[in-house]
């Protein structure tokens, strides 16, 4: 498969945009959750009317995805629901709409309070600097990587949009990734549009209903 030429852009330290102030990085709210606690916190079909929810396989090791440019790796790792930091525990769910609409993959990762902040900072920094990136591991290219305005979810969040290039750039698949840190837990949400379906060429959007339902359970 051929992919388009890749580009990455960066800014000098003096031009870096102001980082949102991270909250809740210490104290009871930043407690590292166990695997059993993450399983309990993961959304179910009972939490989401109109959706079916199925478990997905996950692993606690740091993502092995490689990217070109290498500095853009956190973006590709987030697309896979992971990061460059090993997790204490990790669980995954795939959410399907029973009728029409978008679903999402949801991955919850439990970290130390410090590592949870580092996961978010690495993703935000890479996304701000990378307009296009190749997932070397999967041999897929992405372009039009864009950081969306702060969603206000959790203690901090990063929302991204991008386009996956398939079959020599003939097929363009809109992707969306939302990462939210709640204490020492990082929730990754991913969705994409099928360009062959009506409206499939529009920008992908993670259903807000899914995000809110999942974050509500993490904070209980």
């Amino acid at each position: 498969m051929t992919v388009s030429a890749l580009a990455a852009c960066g800014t000098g330290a003096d031009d870096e945009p102001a980082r949102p102030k991270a909250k809740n990085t210490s104290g009871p709210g930043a407690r590292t959750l166990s695997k059993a606690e993450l399983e309990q916190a993961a959304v179910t079909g009972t939490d989401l009317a109109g959706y079916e929810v199925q478990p997905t396989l996950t692993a606690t090791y740091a993502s092995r995805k490689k990217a070109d440019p290498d500095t853009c790796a956190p973006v590709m790792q987030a697309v896979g629901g992971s990061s460059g930091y090993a997790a204490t525990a990790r669980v995954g769910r795939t959410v399907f709409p029973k009728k029409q609409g978008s679903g999402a993959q949801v991955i919850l990762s439990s970290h130390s309070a410090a590592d949870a902040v580092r996961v978010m900072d690495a993703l935000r920094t890479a996304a701000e600097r990378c307009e296009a990136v190749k997932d070397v591991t999967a041999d897929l290219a992405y372009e039009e990587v864009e950081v969306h305005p702060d969603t206000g979810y959790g203690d901090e969040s990063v929302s991204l949009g991008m386009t996956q290039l398939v079959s020599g750039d003939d097929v363009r698949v809109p992707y969306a990734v939302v990462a939210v840190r709640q204490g020492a837990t990082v929730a990754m949400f991913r969705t994409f549009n099928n360009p062959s379906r009506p409206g499939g060429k529009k920008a992908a959007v993670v259903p807000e209903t899914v995000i809110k339902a999942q974050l509500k359970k993490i904070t209980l």
Side-chain angles (χ1 to χ4, degrees), residues 63-155:
S63 176
R64 298 168 182 168
K65 278 186 175 291
K66 297 184 182 299
D68 182 17
D70 182 65
T71 53
C72 299
V75 174
M76 292 295 88
Q77 292 162 353
V79 169
S82 187
S83 71
Y85 293 84
T88 301
R90 184 172 280 139
V91 301
R93 298 291 185 267
T94 301
V95 180
F96 304 94
K98 292 182 179 179
K99 296 182 179 179
Q100 296 182 343
S102 299
Q105 182 188 55
V106 183
I107 305 292
L108 304 181
S109 300
S110 185
H111 296 274
S112 68
D115 275 356
V117 172
R118 293 184 183 110
V119 168
M120 299 297 291
D121 190 57
L123 174 58
R124 184 183 296 107
T125 299
E128 288 170 348
R129 294 178 175 177
C130 301
E131 292 181 349
V133 55
K134 179 177 180 180
D135 182 340
V136 176
T137 307
D139 194 22
L140 290 169
Y142 295 78
E143 64 177 26
E144 299 173 345
V145 179
E146 181 180 5
V147 181
H148 296 157
D150 185 9
T151 61
Y153 294 129
D155 294 322

Side-chain angles (χ1 to χ4, degrees), residues 78-79 123 158-162 175-179 188-191 206:
V79 169
L123 174 58
V158 180
S159 178
L160 311 177
M162 65 194 76
Y175 265 75
V177 175
V178 177
M188 296 276 190
F189 303 86
R190 181 194 72 167
T191 192
V206 178

